[in-house]
Amino acid sequence: MKYATTVIKNAKIHTIDNQNSIKEAMAINDDKIIYVGSNEGVEKYINKESKIIDANNNMILPGFIDSHIHPPGTALVELYEVSLYGLHSVEEYKKTIREFIKNNPHAKAVHGRGWSLGAFEGEELAKGPKKEHLDEVSKELPIILRAYDGHTLWINSKAMEVFNINENTPCPEGGKIEINNETNELWGTLKETATQLVREDDYTDEEYANAFELFQEKMHEYGITSILAMSGLNWGIMPEVYKELYNKNKLNMRISNSVIIYGEEHWKAQGDKIKKIKEDYDCDYFKTTTIKLLGDGVVEGSTAYLLEPYEVGAKRGDNYYGEFLWNDEDLINCIKYANDNNFSIHVHSVGDGSTRKVLDAIEKTYELSGKFDVNFRNTITHLQLVDKNDIKRFKDLNVIAALQPYWHLKGPKWWEEVDYKLVGDRAEEEYPLKSFLNEGVIITSSSDHSVTPVPNPFYAIEAGVTRNLYNHKYFGVDDITDMDDERYLLNKNERGTVEDLVRSFTINGAYQIFRENEVGSLEVGKYADFIIIDRDIFSVNPVDIENTKVLKTFFNGKLVYER
């Protein structure tokens, strides 16, 4: 019999197994769980070398899994750029940029992220912010600022000059270069693939490694021990950085890698490069499992693809539906290629029109393969608008719905000014959750960090359960005390339970990244990834879930965070 290197006693362990068992003790041998049960039963696993931890009746959950995140998140911004997260006005943006320039006198350009369309009004709500705001700050330095959602760049006149962007510049397919209709000059924003016209700051492997270590510390503080990481073939953290961190014993997370097929190079050529990444870099902690695709853009950019036209507030004219970014044949063939090569697909799809087209393509690939019964872990993410008739198709096609519950409320200074103006009454039905559960669809949860700047899963659990406000200080409004407070309540019929949301962050997330036999629940034989928290989130007032603190985070049986 193996003895335990670590024993946890006097705990309330929510195992998240098939029976949702609650136990009081757990024994760990090095990196694996060897016993889950009673205080009495764990005694036989203890010897004089065993470290015993008294949990003081605190709750234990499996380590959380964020199943759609962009490492290193906001860490690069915090270390090297100007951060506009949490600011709510144009004047605040300009003041912050000026301070950054003052504090970085040798900077040759200003890069940053985090601005929100909700800070603007009038025509800027449709087109994005004008270049003139940034020209007031500096006409000598290029200023390149990515929106909080990552889909739009706001640039000044100097950046246009440096990157040779003018009124005659051809726009990449699937992108938008906004023009001032009165003057025929560039407006100041580049959307979707048009952002590729600007080369954003290049970072060294060492800088990426530094940023990842800061990112990893924050993830452990939030109880996150596994992620599905979004990356590109030529941007983001490269596999060699993860490998170097792993070799130096500095990688203390399970990274499932999702590489996007994006840009002008043919999808198959990009897919072959992704296969090579898998062959060259897969190891215990890092595995390339997924190919990411973009179905459409975002509602706030009027680039999400809808079944019905945008409202007049979008200022796109009559019968404007947005744009789907694939032709049907290429999408079908790309999905089939991914699945045939043992990759799942992970599709960004915001609009209901886009989601229908993606489901149609998945169904067609299954028909071509004759493999309706094969589980590819194919996933559609974001799902802001979904036609009710398509929700059951997720179950029929065994497609995972990857949600961001952080967004499942009427965002202050956002929902009425942006979503409702662009899609009208459809905004009342945004972000279904319970509808998926009612059809038996597997849901997973994630932050899409850095789109969500504070990826605390307890914020998401509260939002999914209440469909209402959390973290009021970030939003800059008064807090709520009643989950039925109507100011920010978004369609309470779509509320999930605490159990639904916890499973979406644990065992369901593990399933999505092909690790359900390794992590996601606390069972014998699985890795000892778990967290100890300071309250029972199943019994507190749902509006207080956001105040939950992680006391300890364990990865592979090793303590990696302690409050």
Side-chain angles (χ1 to χ4, degrees):
M1 187 184 81
K2 289 184 178 179
Y3 285 100
T5 49
T6 304
V7 168
I8 313 289
K9 299 176 70 174
N10 302 319
K12 189 181 291 184
I13 302 172
H14 283 254
T15 63
I16 316 299
D17 63 9
N18 289 335
Q19 293 77 40
N20 285 320
S21 305
I22 301 175
K23 305 295 184 181
E24 59 184 359
M26 182 165 59
I28 299 154
N29 179 267
D30 293 328
D31 59 353
K32 293 282 186 70
I33 298 169
I34 58 173
Y35 174 81
V36 185
S38 66
N39 284 332
E40 181 181 6
V42 81
E43 291 292 333
K44 65 182 179 182
Y45 294 92
I46 298 174
N47 66 8
K48 62 182 181 180
E49 276 81 37
S50 302
K51 179 181 180 180
I52 300 174
I53 297 174
D54 187 339
N56 296 312
N57 206 37
N58 282 310
M59 178 175 285
I60 291 180
L61 293 169
F64 287 134
I65 299 166
D66 190 312
S67 53
H68 181 117
I69 195 167
H70 297 260
T74 56
L76 279 173
V77 179
E78 293 172 33
L79 291 173
Y80 309 115
E81 300 182 355
V82 58
S83 174
L84 303 179
Y85 290 102
L87 305 179
H88 302 292
S89 71
V90 182
E91 292 308 313
E92 287 181 292
Y93 293 159
K94 291 193 288 189
K95 178 182 176 182
T96 303
I97 299 165
R98 287 190 179 103
E99 289 175 353
F100 180 86
I101 293 172
K102 180 181 177 181
N103 294 331
N104 295 272
H106 302 296
K108 296 180 180 179
V110 177
H111 295 266
R113 185 169 180 141
W115 61 267
S116 167
L117 206 59
F120 302 91
E121 57 187 23
E123 200 168 1
E124 289 181 292
L125 275 174
K127 291 190 171 184
K130 292 181 177 180
K131 66 181 185 300
E132 284 79 7
H133 298 301
L134 299 181
D135 287 346
E136 289 178 25
V137 176
S138 178
K139 291 186 177 180
E140 289 74 41
L141 288 173
I143 302 178
I144 303 105
L145 305 172
R146 190 168 283 273
Y148 86 96
D149 64 10
H151 288 259
T152 304
L153 282 183
W154 177 20
I155 59 178
N156 68 346
S157 297
K158 186 64 175 179
M160 295 172 186
E161 176 190 328
V162 168
F163 294 105
N164 196 27
I165 304 170
N166 56 52
E167 294 79 1
N168 300 314
T169 299
C171 184
E173 184 177 355
K176 180 73 175 176
I177 302 173
E178 291 290 0
I179 301 291
N180 187 321
N181 296 330
E182 294 181 1
T183 65
N184 204 36
E185 295 178 346
L186 293 178
W187 184 268
T189 51
L190 309 173
K191 297 178 177 178
E192 307 301 342
T193 56
T195 62
Q196 298 174 27
L197 296 170
V198 172
R199 187 187 71 254
E200 295 184 75
D201 230 11
D202 294 325
Y203 293 104
T204 66
D205 286 356
E206 182 181 4
E207 287 170 329
Y208 269 119
N210 291 339
F212 180 83
E213 289 188 66
L214 176 58
F215 165 85
Q216 183 171 251
E217 288 175 14
K218 292 186 176 185
M219 295 304 106
H220 290 158
E221 181 181 350
Y222 299 137
I224 297 169
T225 54
S226 297
I227 60 173
L228 179 65
M230 304 295 119
S231 66
L233 288 168
N234 300 304
W235 55 264
I237 300 179
M238 294 292 102
E240 49 264 33
V241 175
Y242 289 120
K243 185 172 184 178
E244 183 67 14
L245 288 166
Y246 177 74
N247 290 338
K248 292 180 177 179
N249 294 317
K250 291 183 176 182
L251 186 59
N252 291 312
M253 299 183 74
R254 301 185 202 283
I255 312 289
S256 290
N257 190 28
S258 175
V259 187
I260 191 170
I261 286 180
Y262 185 67
E264 296 182 358
E265 186 179 24
H266 191 270
W267 59 263
K268 187 177 184 304
Q270 294 184 67
D272 289 343
K273 291 177 181 177
I274 297 170
K275 285 171 60 178
K276 191 72 167 58
I277 291 173
K278 184 179 182 68
E279 293 168 4
D280 291 348
Y281 292 101
D282 272 17
C283 61
D284 291 344
Y285 295 178
F286 179 84
K287 295 180 180 179
T288 298
T289 61
T290 307
I291 290 176
K292 182 185 177 185
L293 310 174
L294 284 176
D296 63 352
V298 291
V299 165
E300 57 266 30
S302 303
T303 52
Y305 183 64
L306 309 181
L307 290 172
E308 299 295 333
Y310 281 85
E311 299 293 313
V312 293
K315 299 185 183 299
R316 296 291 185 180
D318 295 335
N319 297 316
Y320 174 75
Y321 294 81
E323 184 176 359
F324 191 66
L325 300 178
W326 288 78
N327 68 60
D328 294 345
E329 183 179 1
D330 276 347
L331 181 59
I332 291 166
N333 288 331
C334 183
I335 294 172
K336 188 175 184 302
Y337 168 93
N339 290 167
D340 286 348
N341 285 281
N342 298 314
F343 294 108
S344 64
I345 59 159
H346 188 89
V347 187
H348 165 118
S349 185
V350 169
D352 47 8
S354 172
T355 295
R356 179 167 294 178
K357 278 187 165 290
V358 174
L359 289 170
D360 289 346
I362 291 172
E363 185 169 12
K364 185 64 176 178
T365 65
Y366 292 176
E367 290 173 359
L368 292 173
S369 300
K371 295 180 179 178
F372 270 93
D373 58 333
V374 172
N375 186 352
F376 294 118
R377 317 288 168 95
N378 288 332
T379 302
I380 304 177
T381 190
H382 303 325
L383 299 166
Q384 185 167 347
L385 293 171
V386 188
D387 188 272
K388 292 178 181 177
N389 294 321
D390 287 325
I391 289 178
K392 187 176 184 300
R393 297 180 69 199
F394 279 74
K395 175 65 174 178
D396 295 340
L397 297 171
N398 207 12
V399 174
I400 298 166
L403 311 179
Q404 288 76 41
Y406 300 86
W407 310 342
H408 292 196
L409 71 155
K410 291 182 178 178
K413 306 173 186 177
W414 178 268
W415 186 87
E416 290 183 356
E417 292 86 347
V418 181
D419 287 4
Y420 193 81
K421 284 186 178 179
L422 297 179
V423 299
D425 290 342
R426 287 170 288 180
E428 299 279 359
E429 305 297 323
E430 288 180 332
Y431 298 117
L433 190 159
K434 185 65 172 177
S435 293
F436 284 113
L437 294 170
N438 288 343
E439 293 294 346
V441 177
I442 294 174
I443 68 164
T444 60
S445 286
S446 62
S447 61
D448 199 10
H449 179 64
S450 56
V451 176
T452 303
V454 185
N456 182 341
F458 295 106
Y459 291 171
I461 293 169
E462 178 175 317
V465 170
T466 67
R467 305 281 293 188
N468 216 326
L469 183 71
Y470 64 91
N471 193 13
H472 71 100
K473 291 181 180 179
Y474 173 78
F475 288 108
V477 297
D478 293 335
D479 203 0
I480 63 170
T481 57
D482 180 358
M483 65 188 285
D484 290 322
D485 188 314
E486 294 186 353
R487 286 173 291 173
Y488 311 112
L489 178 60
L490 177 63
N491 193 357
K492 65 181 181 181
N493 293 326
E494 291 294 343
R495 286 170 170 163
T497 66
V498 175
E499 180 187 320
D500 294 330
L501 272 297
V502 169
R503 294 187 76 87
S504 75
F505 267 115
T506 53
I507 192 62
N508 292 2
Y511 173 82
Q512 181 184 315
I513 61 174
F514 300 89
R515 291 185 183 269
E516 74 275 18
N517 294 322
E518 300 176 4
V519 294
S521 62
L522 300 175
E523 301 179 78
V524 172
K526 289 193 172 184
Y527 290 110
D529 294 3
F530 64 95
I531 60 175
I532 305 176
I533 61 177
D534 69 347
R535 69 197 64 202
D536 184 344
I537 60 173
F538 290 87
S539 62
V540 300
N541 185 333
V543 298
D544 290 330
I545 293 174
E546 65 182 83
N547 298 316
T548 304
K549 299 294 187 293
V550 176
L551 302 177
K552 297 177 190 287
T553 299
F554 287 81
F555 172 77
N556 255 16
K558 179 176 67 174
L559 180 68
V560 292
Y561 169 78
E562 184 169 17
R563 184 173 175 78

